[in-house]
Amino acid sequence: MRKGLLFVVSAPSGTGKTTLVEKLVQRVPDVVMSRSYTSRAARPSEINGVDYNFIDEKRFSSMVSAGQFLEWANVFGHRYGTAASDTDREQRQGRDVVLVIDVQGARQIRERAVDVITIFVLPPSFRELERRLRQRSGTNVTEMKLRQRLETAREEVAESTDYDYLVVNEDVDHCVSRLQSIVISERLKTAVVDAHVTDIVAAFRPSDS
């Protein structure tokens, strides 16, 4: 059994990265989306152990001190992190793992020299991102918070060239197809071919006489 690949998908808030990865998981066998730990409280529609692993600040700090996170970051006043043991378990079972994380987390993973394929999802334009954020937030967010998210988006897009792939989420289905192509392409690279392919190649080698 091959070890699963590790993918990172980052994007500014409002770009739709979580929706894209959820659809990718439905389309491609043996791809799973990592479930992050967070110190924030669950929203009414969210379920612990499904949307996130909701923990308090004390436990989050304890996991940080114990080195249990592959990456973690403070995002808009709340902490989010990926448990290294969760990711490793899925990969050892031959499943590709997708982390939906921001640029801070992606940077940490690259700095740790972990084998990872990074994908940055861009909105069609700055103006469209602002429209999506306003539509999604409705009256539940202040103008100041909206501007903060847009300024953060500028900073995040500035780091997009550090990623292996850039895709634009202009149309959800088209964008998911792009992500699917990336996953399949990475699986077909020589370095990650499965044991069956390796055995075929070995059979063509001349035997010692």
Side-chain angles (χ1 to χ4, degrees), residues 16 18 25-26 35 54 67 79 105-106 109 123-124 137 146 156 163:
T18 301
V25 168
Q26 292 171 3
R35 184 170 59 247
F54 295 98
R79 294 196 286 180
I109 291 176
S137 302
L146 179 65
E156 291 173 330
Y163 284 67

Side-chain angles (χ1 to χ4, degrees), residues 10 21 26 65 69 95 98 118 132 139-140 147 153 155-156 173 177-178 191 200-201:
S10 301
V21 174
Q26 292 171 3
S65 299
F69 287 123
R95 288 187 281 271
V98 184
T118 55
R132 291 180 185 180
T139 59
N140 296 323
R147 290 297 162 191
E155 296 169 0
E156 291 173 330
D173 287 338
S177 294
R178 287 286 183 90
I200 293 173
V201 173

Side-chain angles (χ1 to χ4, degrees), residues 190 193-203:
T190 305
V193 293
D194 62 27
H196 177 60
V197 175
T198 304
D199 289 343
I200 293 173
V201 173

Side-chain angles (χ1 to χ4, degrees), residues 132-149:
R132 291 180 185 180
L133 282 172
R134 288 187 184 280
Q135 185 180 53
R136 187 181 73 172
S137 302
T139 59
N140 296 323
V141 66
T142 65
E143 186 68 19
M144 182 179 294
K145 286 185 177 180
L146 179 65
R147 290 297 162 191
Q148 179 188 18
R149 288 175 184 261

Side-chain angles (χ1 to χ4, degrees), residues 55-126:
I55 59 177
D56 58 26
E57 282 284 353
K58 182 177 180 180
R59 185 180 171 199
F60 199 104
S61 296
S62 176
M63 291 180 71
V64 171
S65 299
Q68 293 180 301
F69 287 123
L70 180 64
E71 59 78 30
W72 70 274
N74 193 313
V75 183
F76 300 121
H78 300 290
R79 294 196 286 180
Y80 297 81
T82 303
S85 59
D86 293 350
T87 301
D88 185 64
R89 181 180 63 252
E90 295 288 356
Q91 287 185 270
R92 288 186 180 279
Q93 293 176 354
R95 288 187 281 271
D96 299 329
V97 182
V98 184
L99 310 185
V100 183
I101 59 177
D102 78 339
V103 295
Q104 297 178 66
R107 197 184 311 125
Q108 289 178 43
I109 291 176
R110 284 195 296 266
E111 289 171 353
R112 293 180 62 172
V114 174
D115 288 331
V116 63
I117 301 104
T118 55
I119 306 167
F120 194 94
V121 181
L122 290 160
S125 68
F126 182 83

Side-chain angles (χ1 to χ4, degrees), residues 12 41 109 179 208:
I109 291 176
L179 296 178
D208 295 333

